[in-house]
Structures are given as C-alpha cells and as structure tokens.
Coordinates of all heavy atoms in Angstrom, one line a residue:
G227 N 62.8 12.1 27.9 CA 61.7 12.6 28.8 C 62.1 13.7 29.7 O 63.3 14.0 29.8
G228 N 61.1 14.3 30.3 CA 61.3 15.3 31.3 C 61.7 16.6 30.8 O 62.0 17.6 31.5
G229 N 61.8 16.8 29.5 CA 62.1 18.1 28.9 C 63.5 18.5 29.0 O 63.9 19.6 28.7
G230 N 64.4 17.5 29.4 CA 65.8 17.9 29.7 C 66.6 18.3 28.5 O 67.6 19.0 28.5
G231 N 66.2 17.8 27.3 CA 67.0 18.1 26.1 C 66.6 19.3 25.3 O 67.2 19.7 24.3
G232 N 65.5 20.0 25.7 CA 65.0 21.1 24.9 C 66.0 22.2 24.8 O 66.1 22.9 23.8
A233 N 66.8 22.5 25.8 CA 67.8 23.6 25.8 C 68.8 23.5 24.7 O 69.2 24.5 24.1 CB 68.5 23.8 27.1
G234 N 69.2 22.3 24.3 CA 70.2 22.1 23.3 C 69.7 22.6 21.9 O 70.5 23.0 21.1
G235 N 68.4 22.5 21.7 CA 67.9 22.9 20.4 C 68.0 24.4 20.1 O 67.8 24.8 19.0
A236 N 68.4 25.2 21.1 CA 68.5 26.6 20.8 C 69.6 26.9 19.8 O 69.5 27.9 19.1 CB 68.9 27.3 22.1
S237 N 70.6 26.0 19.7 CA 71.6 26.3 18.7 C 71.5 25.5 17.5 O 72.3 25.6 16.5 CB 73.0 26.1 19.3 OG 73.1 24.8 20.0
G238 N 70.5 24.6 17.4 CA 70.3 23.8 16.3 C 68.8 23.8 15.8 O 68.3 24.9 15.5
S239 N 68.2 22.7 15.8 CA 66.8 22.7 15.2 C 65.8 23.1 16.3 O 64.6 23.3 15.9 CB 66.5 21.2 14.7 OG 66.5 20.4 15.8
G240 N 66.2 23.1 17.6 CA 65.2 23.4 18.6 C 64.6 22.2 19.2 O 64.3 21.2 18.5
G241 N 64.5 22.1 20.5 CA 64.0 20.9 21.1 C 62.7 21.3 21.9 O 62.7 22.3 22.6
A242 N 61.7 20.4 21.9 CA 60.5 20.7 22.7 C 60.6 20.0 24.0 O 61.4 19.1 24.2 CB 59.3 20.2 21.9
S243 N 59.9 20.4 25.0 CA 60.0 19.8 26.3 C 59.2 18.5 26.4 O 58.2 18.3 25.6 CB 59.4 20.8 27.3 OG 58.0 21.1 27.1
G244 N 59.7 17.6 27.3 CA 59.0 16.4 27.5 C 59.3 15.3 26.5 O 59.7 15.6 25.4
G245 N 59.0 14.1 26.9 CA 59.1 12.9 26.0 C 60.5 12.8 25.3 O 61.5 12.8 26.0
E246 N 60.4 12.8 24.0 CA 61.7 12.6 23.2 C 62.3 14.0 22.9 O 63.2 14.1 22.1 CB 61.4 11.9 21.9 CG 61.1 10.4 22.1 CD 61.0 9.7 20.8 OE1 61.6 10.1 19.8 OE2 60.3 8.7 20.7
A247 N 61.9 15.0 23.6 CA 62.5 16.3 23.3 C 64.0 16.3 23.6 O 64.8 17.1 23.0 CB 61.9 17.4 24.2
G248 N 64.5 15.4 24.4 CA 65.9 15.3 24.7 C 66.7 15.0 23.4 O 67.8 15.5 23.2
E249 N 66.2 14.1 22.6 CA 66.9 13.8 21.3 C 66.9 15.0 20.4 O 67.9 15.3 19.8 CB 66.2 12.7 20.6 CG 66.4 11.3 21.3 CD 65.8 10.2 20.5 OE1 65.9 10.3 19.3 OE2 65.4 9.2 21.1
A250 N 65.8 15.8 20.3 CA 65.8 17.0 19.5 C 66.9 18.0 20.0 O 67.5 18.6 19.3 CB 64.4 17.6 19.6
G251 N 67.0 18.0 21.4 CA 68.0 18.9 21.9 C 69.4 18.5 21.6 O 70.3 19.3 21.3
A252 N 69.7 17.2 21.5 CA 71.0 16.7 21.2 C 71.4 17.1 19.8 O 72.5 17.4 19.5 CB 71.0 15.1 21.3
A253 N 70.4 17.0 18.9 CA 70.7 17.4 17.5 C 71.0 18.9 17.5 O 71.9 19.4 16.8 CB 69.5 17.1 16.6
G254 N 70.3 19.7 18.3 CA 70.5 21.1 18.3 C 71.9 21.5 18.8 O 72.4 22.5 18.5
A255 N 72.5 20.7 19.7 CA 73.8 21.0 20.3 C 74.8 21.2 19.2 O 75.8 22.0 19.3 CB 74.2 20.0 21.3
A256 N 74.7 20.4 18.1 CA 75.6 20.5 17.0 C 75.4 21.8 16.2 O 76.2 22.1 15.4 CB 75.5 19.3 16.1
G257 N 74.4 22.5 16.5 CA 74.0 23.7 15.8 C 75.0 24.8 15.9 O 74.7 25.9 15.4
D258 N 76.1 24.7 16.8 CA 77.1 25.7 16.8 C 77.6 26.0 15.4 O 78.1 27.0 15.1 CB 78.3 25.3 17.7 CG 77.9 25.3 19.1 OD1 76.9 26.0 19.5 OD2 78.5 24.7 19.9
F259 N 77.5 25.0 14.5 CA 78.0 25.2 13.2 C 77.0 25.3 12.1 O 77.3 25.3 10.9 CB 78.9 23.9 12.8 CG 80.1 23.8 13.7 CD1 80.0 23.3 14.9 CD2 81.3 24.3 13.2 CE1 81.2 23.2 15.7 CE2 82.4 24.3 14.0 CZ 82.4 23.7 15.3
G260 N 75.7 25.4 12.5 CA 74.6 25.5 11.5 C 73.4 24.9 12.0 O 73.3 24.1 12.9
S261 N 72.3 25.1 11.3 CA 71.0 24.6 11.7 C 71.0 23.1 11.7 O 71.4 22.4 10.8 CB 69.9 25.1 10.7 OG 68.7 24.6 11.0
G262 N 70.5 22.5 12.8 CA 70.3 21.1 12.9 C 71.6 20.4 13.0 O 71.6 19.2 12.8
G263 N 72.7 21.0 13.4 CA 73.9 20.3 13.5 C 74.7 20.1 12.3 O 75.6 19.3 12.2
A264 N 74.3 20.8 11.2 CA 75.0 20.7 9.9 C 76.4 21.3 10.0 O 76.6 22.4 10.6 CB 74.3 21.3 8.8

C-alpha cells in the first residue's frame, strides 16, 4: 500500500502506485539483471 513499491519496478517489470504496488516494485528491483528480475 501507499505506492511505496512503485519505484523498484523501474528496473524490472514496473510497479504501480498504491495497494499491492509494493510487491510489483520488489520484483522490479531484481531487474538489474533483466526484465522482471530474471
């Protein structure tokens, strides 16, 4: 919630603000190595 995870998605799959966007952002953090944390 609160849109806190959206920034992490910039390097992975991308995170939206609000709600479960934090989880999307966590996946994105792994994106230093490829889309979606691959």
Side-chain angles (χ1 to χ4, degrees):
S237 50
S239 64
S243 61
E246 291 187 24
E249 290 189 31
D258 288 339
F259 294 83
S261 177

